[in-house]
Amino acid sequence: MTLNIKDMTSEQISDWLTLIVNGGIFTSREKLVELLTEGAPHEALENEFREFFNGYYMLALDMEEYEESILGIIKENEAFAHLKHRVLAVEAQRKSSPLGREARRMGLLIHGDPVPEIKVAELSPNEFQSLMHTLGNWRLFVARNRLVKLMETEASIEIADRLRAEFYEFFVCYLEMELFLENYDYDPDDGLELRPEFIEALEREEEYIRSGGKMYTLEKVAAGLGISLNRSSAYEEV
């Protein structure tokens, strides 16, 4: 069960944030900025963006786990009115469902969700480089650096309160980047070579289905295991 962020102690918050601020997206962002500064070839930027995107995917998993409690704090506390305004703007512009956003990060689409208008693979080198500059300069990374500085400051009640407030700013910056990327169609696995054993496994599954085997909905599997689902399944029975 996910711990409500309001119930976290200062020590728990600090430990969790240590994992967040050291995530792969931040390491990759630094490399991406270096490549842009050096005028690196397009292929090098593409390879690093794959790492950046995978880091973003891992960050999204952490953020979504606590999204409901964080948004509740922001919307209920007048001290965060400036952040509430930005959150409402994101929510007003969102077109995809939570499940659709999760699928998009894996290069998939959910039926009923809008199709992203911009295919990253079809961008010209200049357009791709412009996208990298935009992402590399996103406010999320400035907010992350402020978090790191606060975490390096001697602990006190005042610092703990500032750390939480700064994290909420960080979270809203993440929401805004998520909204921006909603319109981009990108598969981080596109162009990667599949391992022979993985291909063989897929072929076995395909043959199993052709021979009369069944695939089950996530709900049926969960029911069989006695697990309660909190979200609807993206899969249909075949």
Side-chain angles (χ1 to χ4, degrees), residues 1 11 15 24 50 60 68 85 112 127 153 164 172 174 199:
M1 181 178 178
E11 184 176 354
D15 289 344
R50 179 177 288 113
E68 184 176 352
H85 175 76
E127 290 171 332
T153 305
R164 288 176 184 266
V172 174
Y174 152 75
I199 296 175

Side-chain angles (χ1 to χ4, degrees), residues 2-213:
T2 300
L3 181 65
N4 189 309
I5 200 166
K6 290 190 291 187
D7 299 328
M8 282 187 175
T9 64
S10 296
E11 184 176 354
Q12 288 173 321
I13 283 280
S14 181
D15 289 344
W16 180 59
L17 288 182
T18 297
L19 297 175
I20 296 294
V21 300
N22 290 310
I25 186 175
F26 303 107
T27 302
S28 184
R29 182 260 180 178
E30 294 302 315
K31 294 180 181 178
L32 197 59
V33 170
E34 288 179 11
L35 291 173
L36 289 167
T37 302
E38 295 168 358
H42 182 69
E43 183 178 359
L45 289 175
E46 283 187 319
N47 290 337
E48 194 54 51
F49 179 59
R50 179 177 288 113
E51 298 301 319
F52 178 96
F53 196 89
N54 286 331
Y56 151 69
Y57 174 77
M58 298 306 297
L59 176 65
L61 292 180
D62 284 319
M63 295 294 97
E64 286 183 340
E65 188 175 3
Y66 292 90
E67 181 169 327
E68 184 176 352
S69 63
I70 295 170
L71 292 181
I73 294 169
I74 292 174
K75 292 178 179 179
E76 295 168 7
N77 195 323
E78 285 301 317
F80 305 125
H82 62 296
L83 297 180
K84 178 181 177 180
H85 175 76
R86 289 164 61 186
V87 167
L88 293 177
V90 168
E91 292 177 340
Q93 296 176 67
R94 272 178 171 173
K95 300 175 183 177
S96 59
S97 64
L99 195 57
R101 291 191 289 276
E102 182 178 340
R104 178 188 52 75
R105 298 185 205 109
M106 296 185 287
L108 305 174
L109 293 175
I110 295 296
H111 178 69
D113 265 29
V115 178
E117 297 179 3
I118 305 172
K119 294 184 179 296
V120 173
E122 296 178 1
L123 294 176
S124 69
N126 285 340
E127 290 171 332
F128 184 79
Q129 189 175 90
S130 177
L131 175 61
M132 296 304 100
H133 276 291
T134 297
L135 292 173
N137 289 304
W138 206 267
R139 284 162 45 168
L140 176 75
F141 303 106
V142 177
R144 181 261 182 187
N145 291 340
R146 290 199 299 263
L147 271 177
V148 170
K149 288 182 179 179
L150 277 175
M151 293 167 69
E152 292 172 346
T153 305
E154 185 176 352
S156 68
I157 295 177
E158 180 185 357
I159 291 298
D161 290 341
R162 288 176 57 194
L163 189 61
R164 288 176 184 266
E166 193 61 57
F167 169 68
Y168 300 146
E169 166 74 26
F170 172 92
F171 178 80
V172 174
C173 290
Y174 152 75
L175 283 185
E176 291 168 337
M177 186 169 77
E178 170 79 1
L179 175 65
F180 174 78
L181 287 171
E182 184 179 82
N183 205 32
Y184 285 84
D185 181 7
Y186 178 70
D187 181 358
D189 297 326
D190 187 33
L192 296 182
E193 184 177 353
L194 294 177
R195 295 193 303 273
E197 58 268 28
F198 182 71
I199 296 175
E200 290 175 8
L202 286 178
E203 291 175 344
R204 287 197 299 270
E205 291 296 326
E206 184 179 3
E207 179 58 32
Y208 171 72
I209 294 169
R210 282 202 302 264
S211 64

